[in-house]
Amino acid sequence: MSSQPPPQQPHQHHLHKKPTSFPDFIFTAFSLFIFFSSSNPTTSIIRKFTPLISFPLNPRRFVRNPTMSNPSSTNLRNPTTHPFPNPQSLSDWLRPRLPSDSFSSWGVKPGTKNVNNLWLELSEGETLLADSTPPVRTVEVMVVRVIGKDNKVLVESHQELSNGIVRHRGRPLSEKMKPGETVEDAVFRAVKEELGSSIVKILPNSYSKKVEERVSASYPGLPACYVLHTVDAVVDGLPEEEFCTEETDEYGDSSGRMLADGAVSCKKHYWRWVDADSL
């Protein structure tokens, strides 16, 4: 019997590690130094963020804020048919949703308006009410910073209301926007109605927009969301000293004539020029 050849040993593969070069060692050491240095609390940068303070609002429905990026944009809000056939039905709806002491002060507390005013705002599409508790009133407002001599700004110091109350303002010309109204249209209408002038020049690149949420001064206890569209403008023919203008009929175009008569309206506007830095 012939002898078998000895079994072959399996071929072994040897992995050869490339010795670490001196430059690689330097790079590794430098990386570790950077890592431990950045983790040192004395050298790390700490950013402190202040939380935003916002008026707490309940979930709302039917509140639409149109997007306006420049003065030629259009207020895309369309008139809506609200479910209140008269001010009394609106009052009945609001009463259980608002603090009783606040609601009872409407039209009684100096400077406030009544339910008739709010009903007219809803009817004319100037205001939207969110179906929430409490309801939230959303208003698009056109703010016109009228620029005068020495770069002074015209502000409405106070108003004389139809019930004889003086309402303090201290702000530039402001007017609620109408549905479908462009910024330019709102500016010209506001200046015409409150200052009696039709010669207006909107200064280029002066448009800005911001949203403010606060309790309404006109309707105590009712949270409000104001979408403020602001431009700077020059108006010809205005006095350089303090002056007063009269508003013939704030609700002249209202279909509810008798209801408008029961609303609190503005009869006189009082104006003065102030330094821009004071605003």
Side-chain angles (χ1 to χ4, degrees):
M1 182 175 182
S2 61
S3 60
Q4 297 292 331
Q8 295 182 357
Q9 296 295 327
H11 182 71
Q12 296 182 356
H13 297 277
H14 297 281
L15 299 178
H16 298 280
K17 293 185 178 180
K18 183 180 179 181
T20 303
S21 64
F22 185 75
D24 291 340
F25 174 79
I26 295 297
F27 177 79
T28 302
F30 180 75
S31 300
L32 291 174
F33 173 78
I34 294 298
F35 174 79
F36 287 107
S37 297
S38 62
S39 62
N40 190 335
T42 61
T43 59
S44 60
I45 300 176
I46 301 176
R47 296 182 180 179
K48 295 182 179 180
F49 295 94
T50 303
L52 295 177
I53 300 175
S54 178
F55 191 91
L57 300 179
N58 289 335
R60 63 186 79 171
R61 292 187 292 161
F62 310 131
V63 176
R64 300 187 299 276
N65 293 340
T67 301
M68 303 183 69
S69 58
N70 56 69
S72 62
S73 299
T74 302
N75 182 348
L76 300 179
R77 185 180 65 198
N78 294 320
T80 56
T81 303
H82 61 79
F84 311 110
N86 51 56
Q88 184 59 51
S89 62
L90 174 59
S91 177
D92 294 340
W93 184 81
L94 287 170
R95 194 176 303 279
R97 292 171 169 81
L98 295 176
S100 58
D101 56 339
S102 298
F103 186 57
S104 62
S105 69
W106 288 21
V108 178
K109 182 180 178 180
T112 63
K113 297 181 179 180
N114 58 35
V115 176
N116 282 22
N117 290 94
L118 185 58
W119 188 87
L120 288 169
E121 290 180 11
L122 289 168
S123 299
E124 296 180 5
E126 296 177 340
T127 288
L128 293 176
L129 270 185
D131 186 9
S132 58
T133 302
V136 179
R137 170 178 171 251
T138 299
V139 188
E140 301 271 342
V141 181
M142 188 68 246
V143 181
V144 186
R145 286 168 37 99
V146 179
I147 309 299
K149 185 179 179 181
D150 299 326
N151 208 36
K152 290 185 178 294
V153 179
L154 185 69
V155 299
E156 185 179 23
S157 59
H158 58 283
Q159 298 174 342
E160 184 179 320
L161 304 181
S162 57
N163 56 7
I165 297 295
V166 173
R167 183 187 187 195
H168 295 280
R169 300 282 283 173
R171 65 183 67 174
L173 191 159
S174 304
E175 184 74 12
K176 292 185 291 292
M177 296 182 70
K178 303 287 187 182
E181 193 171 41
T182 65
V183 168
E184 290 95 335
D185 290 342
V187 169
F188 294 134
R189 179 177 60 82
V191 171
K192 179 67 175 177
E193 290 180 359
E194 299 199 7
L195 296 178
S197 176
S198 56
I199 306 176
V200 185
K201 178 184 178 182
I202 299 175
L203 300 183
N205 302 318
S206 65
Y207 173 79
S208 65
K209 173 185 174 181
K210 69 176 180 178
V211 177
E212 292 184 357
E213 294 180 337
R214 60 179 183 269
V215 175
S216 172
S218 299
Y219 306 103
L222 181 64
C225 175
Y226 298 97
V227 184
L228 305 176
H229 306 273
T230 303
V231 299
D232 292 349
V234 175
V235 179
D236 289 349
L238 297 180
E240 295 183 2
E241 64 279 355
E242 295 185 5
F243 63 98
C244 169
T245 57
E246 294 186 0
E247 188 157 339
T248 55
D249 197 346
E250 185 176 357
Y251 298 105
D253 296 332
S254 174
S255 57
R257 183 65 265 168
M258 294 182 63
L259 297 175
D261 290 339
V264 178
S265 60
C266 179
K267 293 301 182 183
K268 291 184 179 180
H269 303 270
Y270 292 83
W271 307 93
R272 62 189 180 94
W273 299 95
V274 301
D275 293 329
D277 296 338
S278 65
L279 295 176

